[in-house]
């Protein structure tokens, strides 16, 4: 499985934008870039995903480099509720494997008031 | 309920006991996944079901771990002769599609197992 590299931790101030980087230099053409986050004492939660083009949804934006070897999750205005571990995952759909997610260590984001 | 439901939320077992953890996925979801999350680590894949068929059990750490989903809905993860290293949060996730790339996974809150 292709690997992702993320910083262990990041800090942000409340109401400021946050850019969470992810490197995935061994990505293959069929890998989708997924982001999940895990709040304390909860299961992971889907944030956003993309293949080649930048993506926006109500939670965040995903900026994907042209060569797809890196991506950045953007939270436009961090709130205290955004404090969580953010996982960048390459999801490969393999027949009869359902597109299982392989989690790394993630980035622990703390948000200061 | 609207989400993935797991029970029990907390389980304490003595070493050597058998435990069973239950997962109620979102109604109509085809795919079901089990993960194990040790303290301070990311979740690790255990096994995958498509309806009642267990198509991938490559992540099960030993033959003490067994999962089933006999009617394609509720799933049970059973751990026999528990060991201290089995202490972890066990997460269940479901998704509507069986393989589509946009099949977002919905996770339950997990069952925290502590083996004494």
């Amino acid at each position: 499985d292709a690997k992702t590299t993320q910083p262990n931790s990041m800090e942000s101030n409340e109401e400021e934008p946050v850019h969470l980087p992810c490197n995935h230099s061994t990505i293959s053409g069929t890998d989708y870039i997924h982001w999940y986050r895990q709040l304390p004492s909860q299961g992971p939660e889907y944030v956003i995903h993309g293949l080649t083009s930048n993506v926006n949804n109500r939670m965040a934006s995903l900026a994907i480099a042209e060569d797809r070897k890196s991506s950045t999750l953007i939270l436009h205005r961090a709130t205290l509720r955004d404090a969580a571990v953010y996982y960048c995952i390459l999801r490969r759909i393999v027949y009869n494997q359902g597109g299982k997610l392989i989690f790394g260590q993630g980035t622990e984001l703390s948000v200061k008031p | 309920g609207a989400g993935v439901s797991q029970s029990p939320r907390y389980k304490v077992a003595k070493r050597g006991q058998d435990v069973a953890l239950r997962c109620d996925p979102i109604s109509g979801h085809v795919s079901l996944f089990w993960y194990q999350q040790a303290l301070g680590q990311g979740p690790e894949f255990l096994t995958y079901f498509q309806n009642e068929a267990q198509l991938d059990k490559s992540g099960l750490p030993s033959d003490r771990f067994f999962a089933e989903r006999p009617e394609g809905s509720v799933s049970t993860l059973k751990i026999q002769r528990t060991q201290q290293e089995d202490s972890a949060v066990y997460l269940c996730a479901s998704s509507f599609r069986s393989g589509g790339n946009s099949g977002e996974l919905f996770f339950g809150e997990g069952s925290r197992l502590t083996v004494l």
Side-chain angles (χ1 to χ4, degrees):
Chain A
D1 296 302
K3 187 179 172 182
T4 63
T5 305
Q6 299 177 253
N8 288 333
S9 62
M10 289 184 66
E11 258 188 11
S12 170
N13 294 318
E14 197 176 11
E15 297 189 5
E16 289 186 356
V18 182
H19 288 65
L20 295 163
C22 181
N23 288 322
H24 28 79
S25 58
T26 58
I27 191 171
S28 78
T30 55
D31 288 337
Y32 285 80
I33 301 161
H34 283 246
W35 285 81
Y36 279 72
R37 72 179 186 180
Q38 188 171 22
L39 279 64
S41 301
Q42 294 190 25
E45 170 188 36
Y46 170 82
V47 177
I48 200 167
H49 80 279
L51 183 61
T52 56
S53 304
N54 294 345
V55 185
N56 300 295
N57 67 20
R58 63 174 179 82
M59 286 182 73
S61 295
L62 177 60
I64 301 172
E66 200 169 326
D67 63 4
R68 299 210 326 127
K69 293 183 187 296
S70 66
S71 60
T72 302
L73 179 70
I74 302 164
L75 306 179
H76 296 288
R77 282 180 73 242
T79 70
L80 297 178
R81 289 175 297 175
D82 291 323
V85 178
Y86 286 79
Y87 295 99
C88 170
I89 301 162
L90 298 184
R91 190 181 189 195
R92 183 174 300 172
I93 305 301
V94 176
Y95 178 69
N96 276 347
Q97 289 189 8
K100 64 188 176 188
L101 301 174
I102 305 299
F103 289 82
Q105 295 299 309
T107 296
E108 184 168 10
L109 175 67
S110 56
V111 180
K112 296 186 293 183
Chain B
V4 176
S5 178
Q6 294 189 244
S7 61
R9 288 293 316 280
Y10 303 92
K11 175 69 179 178
V12 179
K14 292 183 180 176
R15 191 173 58 165
Q17 270 187 325
D18 297 349
V19 300
L21 308 175
R22 175 186 169 108
C23 173
D24 280 86
I26 294 172
S27 178
H29 278 198
V30 169
S31 294
L32 186 144
F33 303 80
W34 281 99
Y35 285 82
Q36 179 191 58
Q37 186 170 26
L39 191 62
Q41 304 295 314
E44 292 206 6
F45 170 79
L46 292 177
T47 188
Y48 162 65
F49 289 86
Q50 182 179 316
N51 295 308
E52 70 279 1
Q54 188 176 20
L55 299 185
D56 185 353
K57 49 183 180 179
S58 61
L60 295 176
S62 77
D63 59 7
R64 296 187 295 104
F65 287 70
F66 171 76
E68 61 183 4
R69 194 186 184 197
E71 297 177 1
S73 55
V74 171
S75 177
T76 304
L77 176 67
K78 297 179 180 177
I79 309 172
Q80 297 177 322
R81 304 181 303 282
T82 52
Q83 303 295 315
Q84 283 189 320
E85 62 262 27
D86 300 335
S87 296
V89 175
Y90 291 85
L91 294 162
C92 176
S94 69
S95 71
F96 179 69
R97 290 188 181 87
S98 62
N101 72 79
S102 57
E104 143 186 13
L105 268 63
F106 294 84
F107 283 82
E109 292 187 308
S111 292
R112 181 180 295 276
L113 172 65
T114 302
V115 181
L116 303 177

